[in-house]
């Protein structure tokens, strides 16, 4: 339906609907004239009013989260003064008013053996009045006839036991239901058990007293333990050494203290903590054992049989051969009446070569690979082609003598003499492409030291202090746009919007053209608008009509619509208003280019489909893809930002 046809039909319908209203008004005027004539006898008048209000609701339950509009219907009647007997009473139509009764249906008590749980409840709204009315529940309007009802289901997640109030608002009035949640679970604990043994290892049966301090009966090892009850559970365990243990009795940790009285060995282990050596040398440690028990101790140390009477002691020595720098462990394995492995650690410093591989540019990074290994680093660069400078530094930890080293690098093989405290260094330059990787390596005394260098494209930082002008053209189609008025809807597709946005000291202004497709074909219209001081307007010359739209800012809400200068009660979608007219100015301060490009494309988005999904910097520009798959390229140039693709824009920055 065209807008012209809609306006004509609206005028005819308005006349047809006003006819009965004019007749009722004429009748009321005649009654008023009658009551204006002074009565012959005195009489009194009384007035009664009946009001039924459907309140605004904002749901507080997890499943009802919408806020709906408020509707109020008020009917008022006035009792007329007594009529003279000769005058028949004036008939009045009955007053039809809705009256709503709200119930929150939920269990009074919930018993559970698990947490968290969900409580399901229902909001029941009944119309006990004599008129049809509308209510707002759970973000949805419901129209209820007299004697009818609606039910809205909701849930509440409960994490802890206790008393909870399930509350919901129906037309602005809160209604609630109190629910008590009881949590039933067994809580088991075992009392400590003390055991004395004279032989290790050994199998023993212990009696574990398990107490249920919870509020639910439990079954442990086939034994039922009621709340508050304690039962003895027999458990067979294997003990290999004295000490404090925990055994598992059907999920209950029972502490067991095992005391071993005969025999008893004391021991100490020691040796040098740090040594300097050359590969092939050995480092030693010692083990001291003494029997402080009450019987003779018999045991084996590293295969050697040892017998110690009470009070006797023995000293043992053991060595380990070193080959490289690091920590070495000397171990004594004792088996018999003492089952243990004693260890002594020694730090060995080997006179060795130290190799450091370095990238000097585009970023300074250092690595010290182990002999025969390769390290990895990742460098962030903004450009595709990079000249990378790398090198190495070789030194030794020698303190008294010179060291001969043979180095193989990109220049060939050479031999050097390094004195204590001296170092050898060299640098090289190679060209790399980003993203990509390259391995650089050298050999020192036939041992390889490598470094894998990976280049990752990283967007540069951009700063946009201010914007003075934006020229744009957006050919991303926006389908099924509808302007809904009282008696007609106008549907069309937006094929392209182009224009110029100017920023001023107090706001911004915009003008341009819009191409739409409707039932009558493709039309080109124009528009202009302005936004400042918390308000804005947009004038559209579209489909042969002049449409004037006024809106508020923060939030953006359309407040007035005029068609050809006449106000109309129409719903105009916000997509008709270019987002950049009322959105935030897309400035930036030292922000990554891909992140700024996402915000910039978002400033032009008309609805969710135009919102950007991802942005990637490729070394020249930022490629941005929106939800519908449109790809835009964002270029950063001196004094401007340029967008190419279905959305084209030229942004003048300062």
């Amino acid at each position: 339906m065209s807008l012209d046809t809609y306006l004509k039909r609206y005028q005819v319908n308005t006349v047809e609907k006003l006819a009965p209203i004019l007749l009722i008004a004429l009748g009321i005027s005649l009654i008023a004239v009658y009551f204006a004539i002074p009565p012959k006898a005195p009489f009194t008048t009384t007035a009664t009013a009946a009001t039924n209000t459907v309140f605004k609701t904002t749901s507080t339950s997890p499943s009802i989260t919408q806020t709906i509009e408020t509707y109020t219907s008020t009917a008022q009647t006035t009792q007329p003064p007594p009529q003279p007997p000769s005058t028949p009473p004036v008939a009045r139509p009955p007053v039809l008013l809705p009256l709503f009764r709200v119930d929150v249906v939920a269990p009074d008590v919930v018993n559970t053996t698990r947490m968290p749980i969900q409580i399901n409840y229902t909001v029941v709204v009944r119309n006990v009045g004599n008129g049809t009315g509308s209510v707002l529940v759970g973000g949805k309007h419901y129209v209820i006839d007299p004697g009818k009802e609606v039910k809205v289901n909701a849930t509440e997640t409960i994490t802890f036991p206790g008393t909870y109030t399930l509350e919901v608002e129906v037309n602005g009035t809160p209604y609630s239901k109190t629910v008590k949640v009881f949590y039933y679970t067994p809580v088991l604990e075992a009392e400590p058990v003390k055991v004395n043994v004279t032989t290790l290892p050994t199998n023993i049966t212990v009696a574990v007293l398990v107490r249920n301090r919870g509020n639910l009966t439990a079954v442990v090892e086939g034994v039922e333990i009621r709340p508050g009850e304690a039962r003895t559970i027999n458990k067979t365990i294997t003990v290999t050494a004295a000490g404090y243990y925990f055994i598992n009795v059907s999920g209950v940790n029972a502490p067991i203290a095992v005391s071993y009285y005969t025999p008893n060995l004391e021991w100490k282990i020691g040796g040098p903590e740090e040594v300097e050596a050359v590969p092939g040398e050995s480092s030693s440690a010692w083990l001291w054992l003494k029997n402080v028990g009450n019987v003779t101790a018999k045991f084996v140390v590293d295969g050697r049989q040892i017998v110690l009477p009470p009070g006797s002691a023995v000293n043992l020595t053991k060595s380990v051969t070193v080959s490289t720098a690091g920590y070495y462990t000397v171990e004594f394995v004792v088996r018999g009446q003492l089952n243990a492995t004693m260890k002594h650690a020694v730090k060995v410093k080997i006179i060795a070569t130290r190799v450091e591989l370095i990238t000097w540019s585009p970023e300074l990074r250092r690595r010290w690979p182990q002999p025969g290994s390769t390290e990895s680093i990742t460098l962030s660069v903004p450009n595709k082609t990079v000249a990378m400078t790398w090198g190495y530094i070789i030194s030794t930890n020698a303190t008294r003598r010179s060291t001969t080293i043979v180095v193989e690098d990109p220049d060939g093989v050479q031999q050097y003499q390094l004195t204590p405290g001296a170092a050898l260094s060299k640098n090289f330059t190679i060209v790399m492409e980003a993203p990509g990787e390259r391995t650089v390596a050298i050999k020192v005394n036939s041992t390889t030291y490598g470094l894998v260098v990976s280049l990752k494209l990283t967007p540069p930082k951009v700063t946009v202090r201010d914007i003075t002008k934006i020229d744009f053209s957006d050919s991303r189609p926006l389908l099924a746009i509808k302007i809904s008025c009282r008696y007609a809807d106008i549907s069309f597709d937006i094929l392209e919007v182009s224009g110029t946005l100017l920023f001023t000291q107090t706001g911004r202004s915009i003008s341009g053209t819009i191409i739409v497709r409707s039932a009558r074909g493709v039309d080109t219209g124009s528009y202009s608008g302005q936004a400042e001081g918390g308000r804005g307007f947009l004038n559209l010359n579209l489909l042969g009509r002049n449409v004037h739209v006024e809106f508020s800012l923060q939030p953006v809400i359309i407040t007035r619509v005029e068609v050809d200068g006449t106000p109309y009660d129409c719903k105009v979608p916000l997509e008709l208003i270019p987002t950049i007219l009322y959105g935030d100015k897309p400035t930036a301060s030292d922000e990554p280019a891909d992140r700024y490009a996402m915000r910039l494309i978002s400033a032009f988005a008309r609805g969710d489909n135009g919102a950007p999904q991802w942005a990637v910097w490729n070394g020249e520009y930022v490629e941005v893809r929106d939800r519908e798959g449109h790809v835009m390229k964002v270029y950063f140039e001196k004094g401007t930002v340029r967008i190419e693709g279905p959305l084209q824009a030229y942004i003048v920055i300062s």
Side-chain angles (χ1 to χ4, degrees):
M1 179 186 296
S2 67
L3 187 59
D4 186 51
T5 304
Y6 159 71
L7 294 176
K8 291 179 180 179
R9 181 173 298 180
Y10 173 78
Q11 293 173 356
V12 174
N13 291 340
T14 302
V15 172
E16 293 176 352
K17 292 189 175 183
L18 285 178
I21 297 176
L22 293 175
L23 292 177
I24 294 173
L26 178 59
I28 293 174
S29 301
L30 293 176
I31 295 173
V33 171
Y34 171 79
F35 286 122
I37 300 173
K40 296 180 180 181
F43 60 91
T44 60
T45 62
T46 60
T48 60
T51 303
N52 182 34
T53 304
V54 181
F55 298 93
K56 179 178 179 182
T57 178
T58 301
S59 174
T60 59
S61 71
S63 301
I64 306 177
T65 58
Q66 301 184 13
T67 301
I68 315 299
E69 298 178 354
T70 301
Y71 295 86
T72 303
S73 62
T74 303
Q76 180 171 347
T77 60
T78 303
Q79 181 178 353
Q83 301 292 329
S86 59
T87 303
V90 178
R92 295 184 303 274
V95 178
L96 302 180
L97 295 176
L99 179 61
F100 299 111
R101 179 175 297 164
V102 180
D103 294 314
V104 180
V105 181
D108 296 326
V109 176
V110 176
N111 298 321
T112 181
T113 58
R114 61 181 179 85
M115 284 288 180
I117 63 170
Q118 283 192 335
I119 297 179
N120 299 321
Y121 62 97
T122 303
V123 181
V124 181
V125 184
R126 301 180 179 89
N127 187 350
V128 298
N130 61 355
T132 299
S134 174
V135 294
L136 190 61
V137 183
K140 184 177 179 181
H141 285 286
Y142 299 88
V143 177
I144 309 177
D145 295 330
K148 302 297 183 178
E149 67 179 27
V150 296
K151 296 181 180 180
V152 180
N153 296 324
T155 60
E156 178 76 19
T157 300
I158 304 300
T159 306
F160 300 99
T163 301
Y164 291 84
T165 299
L166 308 177
E167 183 171 307
V168 65
E169 288 188 6
V170 178
N171 284 352
T173 299
Y175 299 88
S176 63
K177 168 76 174 183
T178 300
V179 178
K180 293 185 178 180
V181 179
F182 297 94
Y183 179 43
Y184 293 91
T185 184
V187 179
L188 302 176
E189 62 178 29
E191 295 188 359
V193 178
K194 294 183 179 180
V195 178
N196 296 329
V197 297
T198 58
T199 303
L200 291 175
T202 183
N203 293 328
I204 60 174
T205 299
V206 297
V208 181
L209 185 64
V210 179
R211 188 179 305 277
N212 186 354
R213 299 189 181 276
N215 54 7
L216 187 66
T217 299
V219 177
V220 179
E221 301 283 342
V223 178
E224 187 178 88
I225 307 177
R226 294 187 294 272
E229 186 180 36
R231 300 290 298 273
T232 299
I233 309 297
N234 293 324
K235 187 78 172 179
T236 300
I237 62 173
T238 300
V239 179
T240 59
Y244 195 77
Y245 302 90
F246 285 92
I247 63 173
N248 188 287
V249 183
S250 293
V252 182
N253 282 332
I256 306 294
V258 179
S259 299
Y260 178 56
Y261 290 100
T262 60
N264 191 3
L265 290 174
E266 288 185 355
W267 58 271
K268 294 180 182 179
I269 190 170
E273 301 293 333
E274 185 175 342
V275 297
E276 287 188 358
V278 296
E281 291 183 341
S282 62
S283 178
S284 300
W286 51 263
L287 174 65
W288 173 82
L289 294 162
K290 183 178 181 180
N291 183 4
V292 295
N294 52 9
V295 296
T296 297
K298 297 179 180 180
F299 52 93
V300 177
V301 179
D302 295 327
R304 176 185 172 185
Q305 187 76 32
I306 297 177
V307 178
L308 280 182
S312 299
V314 64
N315 282 298
L316 303 173
T317 302
K318 191 175 182 180
S319 300
V320 63
T321 301
V322 300
S323 57
T324 60
Y327 285 90
Y328 289 81
T329 301
V330 181
E331 295 185 353
F332 295 89
V333 180
V334 182
R335 294 291 181 263
Q337 292 174 325
L338 175 63
N339 289 282
T341 299
M342 290 76 167
K343 300 179 180 181
H344 175 74
V346 57
K347 182 180 180 180
V348 177
K349 180 181 179 182
I350 299 294
I351 299 177
T353 302
R354 184 171 184 261
V355 176
E356 177 183 4
L357 296 180
I358 307 172
T359 59
W360 298 104
S361 66
E363 187 178 345
L364 177 61
R365 302 287 290 274
R366 299 174 181 270
R367 288 293 185 271
W368 293 267
Q370 293 295 319
S373 67
T374 300
E375 293 279 342
S376 299
I377 61 171
T378 300
L379 305 179
S380 298
V381 295
N383 301 318
K384 288 186 175 181
T385 303
V386 177
M388 186 190 73
T389 301
W390 70 281
Y392 61 81
I393 299 176
I394 303 174
S395 61
T396 69
N397 61 349
T399 59
R400 291 183 296 272
R401 65 175 187 264
S402 298
T403 304
T404 300
I405 61 172
V406 178
V407 179
E408 181 180 348
D409 58 27
D411 290 339
V413 180
Q414 289 184 329
Q415 181 174 300
Y416 303 91
Q417 287 288 330
L418 287 181
T419 59
L424 171 67
S425 64
K426 218 170 186 182
N427 295 324
F428 308 92
T429 299
I430 59 176
V431 177
M432 294 183 61
E433 295 293 324
E437 67 177 28
R438 185 83 168 267
T439 300
V440 295
I442 64 171
K443 288 185 178 180
V444 179
N445 294 337
S446 300
T447 300
T448 301
Y449 299 82
L451 182 64
V452 177
V453 181
S454 300
L455 295 184
K456 179 180 70 173
L457 278 173
T458 301
K461 298 291 185 67
V462 297
T463 297
V464 180
R465 295 184 177 87
D466 198 8
I467 298 176
T468 59
K469 179 182 177 183
I470 299 178
D471 292 321
F472 69 95
S473 175
D474 194 347
S475 60
R476 295 175 295 176
L478 193 60
L479 307 179
I481 300 300
K482 181 185 293 185
I483 298 178
S484 299
C485 298
R486 170 175 272 181
Y487 298 110
D489 292 339
I490 303 174
S491 299
F492 54 89
D493 300 331
I494 298 178
L495 303 181
E496 182 179 321
V497 177
S498 60
T500 300
L501 177 71
L502 296 177
F503 291 94
T504 64
Q505 293 182 350
T506 58
R508 60 189 73 177
S509 62
I510 194 170
S511 62
T513 60
I514 179 171
I515 301 176
V516 301
R517 177 178 57 208
S518 63
R520 71 179 196 178
V522 177
D523 291 279
T524 300
S526 62
Y527 68 91
S528 63
Q530 184 176 327
E532 64 179 10
R535 296 182 301 175
F537 69 86
L538 188 72
N539 295 317
L540 295 101
N541 187 341
L542 185 64
L543 299 176
R545 293 293 180 179
N546 293 318
V547 180
H548 175 76
V549 178
E550 297 180 4
F551 54 90
S552 63
L553 304 176
Q554 296 180 354
V556 179
I557 299 175
I558 294 179
T559 59
R560 182 180 177 87
V561 177
E562 294 180 1
V563 178
D564 293 334
T566 302
Y568 280 91
D569 182 13
C570 298
K571 292 182 179 179
V572 177
L574 287 177
E575 287 83 357
L576 279 178
I577 306 175
T579 311
I580 58 174
L581 179 59
Y582 57 80
D584 294 334
K585 183 184 293 187
T587 59
S589 177
D590 199 28
E591 183 176 0
D594 56 345
R595 188 184 306 169
Y596 175 74
M598 288 278 286
R599 289 200 302 111
L600 184 60
I601 299 300
S602 297
F604 291 91
R606 297 170 296 169
D608 294 338
N609 291 338
Q613 297 300 295
W614 55 260
V616 177
W617 169 257
N618 67 357
E620 297 181 9
Y621 54 83
V622 177
E623 184 175 283
V624 183
R625 184 185 299 271
D626 66 14
R627 184 170 294 179
E628 289 190 338
H630 300 108
V631 177
M632 279 71 68
K633 300 177 181 179
V634 182
Y635 294 86
F636 296 91
E637 301 168 346
K638 185 177 181 181
T640 61
V641 176
R642 182 165 48 89
I643 303 175
E644 292 185 355
L647 169 64
Q648 300 181 15
Y650 187 81
I651 303 169
V652 180
I653 64 176
S654 60

